[in-house]
Amino acid sequence: MDKKFLSLYDLNSLVRETIETVMPNEYWVEAELSEVKEWGGHCYLDLIEKDERSNTPVARASAKCWKNTWMLLRPYFERVTGQKLHAGMKVLLKVFAQFHENYGFSWIVTDIDPTYTMGDMARKRQEIIQQLKAAGVFDLQKGLTLPMFAQHIAVISSANAAGYGDFCNQLEDNEYGYKFHTRLYSAVMQGEGVEKSIIKALNQIYEDSQKLSAESRQSFDCVVIIRGGGATSDLSGFDTLALAENVANFPLPIITGIGHERDESVLDMVSYLRVKTPTAAAAFLINHLKQVDERIADAQESIVGCVQHRMQLEKMRLDRLSTQIPVLFSVAKTRQEARLERLFSRLATDIHEYVERQRAVLDLRYSVLHSSLERRMLQEKHRLEIMEQRIESVNPERLLERGYSITWHHGKAVRDVNELKTGDEIETRLQKGVIKSKVI
């Protein structure tokens, strides 16, 4: 039996006709962008919807915005929202269904409602602000104090940005001749890499500041984040929770000048001070130093005035005292002379009593010492007599008197016959006289 079949093209044509018949209208659809690409002037979007509780994707679709439509929609959307279409953004799109025999199904975008995205952006921004306030860090930077002599500045910016050059030039060429020392920490200032890049720069500034302090060198007084130029559509990177938390908790005052006037970013809100442009940031630092200089000058004038006034008062007081000095001196002299007389009398009495006490002590010690010396001398005399008797008992002269003799050879007493040999001359000492002889 023959089976009826369709070619793939015929089947796809049937699908296209069905979709065009059943879904001829355009539809407004809300979705989150998971990917955005531009190619050949066209814009290709991947749409996604997530479950609010589990954040799990529950629907996906592809959408296209053709060049002739995209060239109109993109500048309008970016002008209203201040951002480019990017992944993670929620949008409200006007689409119609299209099925192509060769390329398959897709939604064709004919319009984008920027006000919907603005509302979602505002909601996210408000959520970030609420989180920061709940954590108690939203106003931490506002509680910091910019040092009076804020001249050592860490700058976070793109190295090639015109705004960075303007900032440095304005500091260097200030009309007051103030000296500023800046160090650049290069960072990405537009696009999706803003958050990670600035956080990395802040971490490096903190490490360098700790090293400088440990080496007893001048650390940074503040941090300046400047952007200077670039499209307002690239400001989304400054509205993130992680970046806001890092800035809010940073121990140094942070001044932002990221070059936009229409809206404040979350980064601006949590920073110590927000200015419009990099040159405004430089002007603020110069003016801050100028105000300090003026305060010092005012304080100097005030001190000089106070000193002069005090000197006048003291001169008047000295003049009054000078008239009273002779009388006061006479009274003081009389009092001191009487006091010295009393002290002299008391001193003489005390010295006499002390000398008498010491004399009695000396007499007592002399008596004790005299008795001790007499006993010791008797003991030593007795010991010497005993030693004399012992020495006398071993005196060689006594032995000679008893008939003994001593034989010498070369000045030494001979105790053993074997010490001598034939022909040696020897001396024999008697009680009376010496005999010289030779050994045979």
Side-chain angles (χ1 to χ4, degrees):
M1 183 177 63
D2 295 336
K3 294 181 179 179
K4 292 183 178 182
F5 60 86
L6 296 173
S7 68
L8 179 60
Y9 181 82
D10 291 337
L11 180 61
N12 285 352
S13 296
L14 181 60
V15 173
R16 179 176 60 79
E17 291 173 2
T18 303
I19 290 176
E20 290 176 354
T21 302
V22 177
M23 303 180 65
N25 301 322
E26 294 181 329
Y27 305 92
W28 284 101
V29 59
E30 60 177 5
E32 182 180 326
L33 301 178
S34 63
E35 188 174 1
V36 180
K37 293 186 295 185
E38 289 189 52
W39 182 261
H42 310 296
C43 183
Y44 299 88
L45 310 171
D46 287 341
L47 309 180
I48 191 172
E49 181 179 349
K50 299 177 181 178
D51 183 271
E52 293 184 358
R53 292 170 296 180
S54 62
N55 208 34
T56 303
V58 295
R60 293 179 183 273
S62 297
K64 301 181 181 69
C65 187
W66 302 124
K67 182 177 181 180
N68 56 346
T69 304
W70 179 240
M71 291 298 101
L72 298 175
L73 295 181
R74 183 181 67 176
Y76 174 65
F77 180 85
E78 293 178 358
R79 185 172 63 255
V80 174
T81 64
Q83 296 195 35
K84 292 181 178 180
L85 286 177
H86 59 81
M89 177 181 285
K90 283 191 175 182
V91 292
L92 184 62
L93 308 173
K94 191 175 185 180
V95 299
F96 67 86
Q98 184 183 75
F99 188 88
H100 192 278
E101 290 85 347
N102 193 26
Y103 300 108
F105 179 84
S106 66
W107 294 103
I108 305 302
V109 179
T110 60
D111 198 2
I112 305 176
D113 185 357
T115 58
Y116 174 86
T117 303
M118 284 287 291
D120 184 66
M121 290 165 52
R123 178 184 59 79
K124 288 184 177 179
R125 180 181 293 181
Q126 194 60 34
E127 287 177 356
I128 292 174
I129 293 171
Q130 292 302 325
Q131 286 178 278
L132 294 171
K133 288 184 177 180
V137 300
F138 187 80
D139 293 318
L140 284 182
Q141 276 278 314
K142 302 299 188 294
L144 299 179
T145 302
L146 186 67
M148 293 181 64
F149 301 95
Q151 295 173 278
H152 293 78
I153 304 156
V155 183
I156 299 178
S157 180
S158 173
N160 299 321
Y164 171 64
D166 294 340
F167 175 80
C168 293
N169 290 335
Q170 185 156 346
L171 287 183
E172 185 175 354
D173 299 332
N174 70 87
E175 60 180 307
Y176 308 105
Y178 300 141
K179 297 298 182 182
F180 292 90
H181 308 277
T182 62
R183 183 186 296 183
L184 174 65
Y185 290 83
S186 184
V188 176
M189 302 305 289
Q190 60 184 14
E192 297 182 3
V194 169
E195 177 185 275
K196 291 183 179 179
S197 184
I198 294 181
I199 290 176
K200 180 180 179 182
L202 287 172
N203 292 336
Q204 188 61 52
I205 290 172
Y206 179 77
E207 292 179 7
D208 291 348
S209 179
Q210 295 295 104
K211 290 179 182 177
L212 291 171
S213 298
E215 296 170 0
S216 299
R217 297 166 59 189
Q218 176 62 51
S219 183
F220 297 117
D221 298 311
C222 66
V223 179
V224 175
I225 301 177
I226 51 178
R227 179 170 175 264
T232 57
S233 59
D234 294 323
L235 294 173
S236 59
F238 299 96
D239 282 330
T240 67
L241 178 62
L243 179 56
E245 287 178 333
N246 273 269
V247 170
N249 287 284
F250 204 74
L252 296 177
I254 294 180
I255 301 170
T256 58
I258 53 182
H260 64 107
E261 302 181 13
R262 187 175 58 82
D263 293 316
E264 269 191 317
S265 67
V266 177
L267 178 66
D268 292 323
M269 295 178 186
V270 300
S271 64
Y272 171 80
L273 176 71
R274 177 246 181 170
V275 294
K276 296 178 181 179
T277 61
T279 52
F284 169 78
L285 291 170
I286 294 170
N287 186 59
H288 173 75
L289 210 55
K290 180 177 180 295
Q291 290 177 351
V292 172
D293 196 3
E294 290 174 349
R295 287 176 60 188
I296 293 173
D298 292 342
Q300 182 179 1
E301 292 180 3
S302 177
I303 291 172
V304 171
C306 289
V307 169
Q308 289 176 343
H309 178 67
R310 185 59 182 268
M311 288 179 66
Q312 290 176 352
L313 293 177
E314 293 301 319
K315 184 177 183 301
M316 294 172 61
R317 189 172 69 88
L318 288 174
D319 290 341
R320 289 196 303 270
L321 290 175
S322 63
T323 60
Q324 302 174 6
I325 286 176
V327 176
L328 294 174
F329 178 77
S330 176
V331 172
K333 179 182 177 183
T334 302
R335 289 178 180 175
Q336 294 302 318
E337 287 177 347
R339 179 171 174 271
L340 287 174
E341 288 292 335
R342 291 194 301 271
L343 290 175
F344 178 77
S345 176
R346 185 186 303 170
L347 182 62
T349 303
D350 291 344
I351 291 175
H352 178 73
E353 292 177 354
Y354 178 77
V355 169
E356 291 298 324
R357 287 196 300 270
Q358 295 302 316
R359 182 177 295 167
V361 171
L362 288 175
D363 291 342
L364 178 61
R365 290 181 177 176
Y366 174 79
S367 175
V368 173
L369 181 62
H370 182 71
S371 300
S372 299
L373 286 175
E374 286 184 345
R375 287 195 301 271
R376 184 62 182 269
M377 289 179 68
L378 288 174
Q379 291 173 356
E380 293 301 320
K381 182 178 180 181
H382 180 66
R383 190 169 66 87
L384 287 174
E385 290 175 351
I386 294 173
M387 291 178 66
E388 287 178 356
Q389 293 175 4
R390 290 179 180 175
I391 292 171
E392 186 64 24
S393 65
V394 295
N395 189 347
E397 295 292 338
R398 305 286 81 79
L399 294 175
L400 294 176
E401 290 176 357
R402 291 158 55 187
Y404 293 95
S405 64
I406 300 174
T407 300
W408 300 84
H409 178 62
H410 294 315
K412 294 181 180 181
V414 178
R415 293 180 175 85
D416 189 349
V417 175
N418 294 324
E419 295 178 2
L420 302 174
K421 60 182 181 290
T422 304
D424 286 343
E425 291 185 357
I426 59 176
E427 294 181 354
T428 300
R429 184 177 179 183
L430 305 175
Q431 180 184 7
K432 296 180 180 180
V434 177
I435 300 173
K436 291 185 179 180
S437 56
K438 182 180 289 186
V439 177
I440 301 174

